[in-house]
Amino acid sequence: EQTNWLRSLPELRVAYETDRYPYSFVDQQGEFSGISADYLRLLNERLGLKFKLIPAKDWSALKELVINHQVDLVAAGSANDFSTNDMLFSQPYETFPGVIVTRVGGPAIAGPSDLSRRVVAIREEQSMVSRAKTLLGGSTLVPVGSNESGLAMVASGKADAYIGTLPAIDSLIRNRYAAQLRVIGPAGIDLDLA
């Protein structure tokens, strides 16, 4: 009976970021791909849910879609990222470790305690920012719309460090910033995707 009800639902509008590897991104064939895409495929196959995919170029664009009620679901987000008036979340389905990225040859930073009085870029997701404010009270936090933006700030010297999740930034560093940036260790802030 529940399966029949799920199959009878209209197409659900799902927002996803086009550059948030490995969670959600557009692959070389122009298709939605990543961990979130895999979960949506399973929901379609097993429960018969139908999805209309709505791409967002970054987190800011995705937030606008949610706030303006232009989507029903978010492919990759956390429970504290939106007001409960705009979006409700399931229990987390994955947890990813947050790490600190610094410039090669930049200021001596070995962990979160060394970020006091430093400029730290971080994705503008409320769940990450609120935990960073608690952990890094003496830091100047600069919210950014994408991992690429945060890493570019560190590479250019506009920020001393960037906090992001290891799976999301590892390939960006290897492919675009190999000689400039490095992961120095855990940030003490993890991301729960729900």
Side-chain angles (χ1 to χ4, degrees):
E1 183 178 320
Q2 290 176 350
T3 302
N4 288 335
W5 179 80
L6 289 171
R7 290 180 192 276
S8 74
L9 289 175
E11 192 173 59
L12 300 171
R13 302 166 299 169
V14 181
Y16 70 95
E17 288 179 83
T18 58
D19 70 343
R20 193 173 181 192
Y21 182 87
Y23 313 117
S24 68
F25 60 96
V26 174
D27 66 17
Q28 294 174 345
Q29 289 77 38
E31 299 292 322
F32 174 45
S33 193
I35 296 167
S36 297
D38 294 342
Y39 277 108
L40 288 176
R41 269 190 284 287
L42 285 171
L43 290 172
N44 171 261
E45 291 168 8
R46 294 189 181 167
L47 302 177
L49 291 171
K50 298 172 286 297
F51 302 109
K52 178 180 181 181
L53 300 172
I54 312 289
K57 67 178 177 146
D58 59 19
W59 187 251
S60 298
L62 187 137
K63 279 180 27 180
E64 285 299 314
L65 291 169
V66 170
I67 290 167
N68 293 321
H69 303 284
Q70 295 174 310
V71 295
D72 305 304
L73 300 169
V74 172
S78 296
N80 295 326
D81 288 339
F82 300 97
S83 161
T84 55
N85 294 328
D86 295 321
M87 186 73 54
L88 297 175
F89 283 84
S90 66
Q91 293 294 318
Y93 60 84
E94 291 287 349
T95 299
F96 298 96
V99 294
I100 301 168
V101 177
T102 63
R103 278 184 311 287
V104 172
I109 297 171
S113 62
D114 296 324
L115 295 174
S116 182
R117 298 189 183 102
R118 303 265 186 208
V119 176
V120 179
I122 186 168
R123 277 183 56 93
E124 64 180 332
E125 297 167 52
Q126 187 55 42
S127 60
M128 295 285 283
V129 173
S130 63
R131 283 184 263 170
K133 283 180 182 176
T134 302
L135 183 66
L136 309 171
S139 302
T140 300
L141 298 177
V142 180
V144 296
S146 68
N147 291 312
E148 175 64 39
S149 297
L151 295 174
M153 283 186 71
V154 176
S156 69
K158 293 179 182 170
D160 298 306
Y162 176 68
I163 293 179
T165 58
L166 185 59
I169 59 177
D170 180 57
S171 68
L172 281 171
I173 292 172
R174 281 187 284 116
N175 294 330
R176 298 182 191 166
Y177 299 102
Q180 296 174 283
L181 303 179
R182 64 190 175 128
V183 173
I184 58 102
I189 301 169
D190 293 338
L191 176 67
D192 295 325
L193 290 184

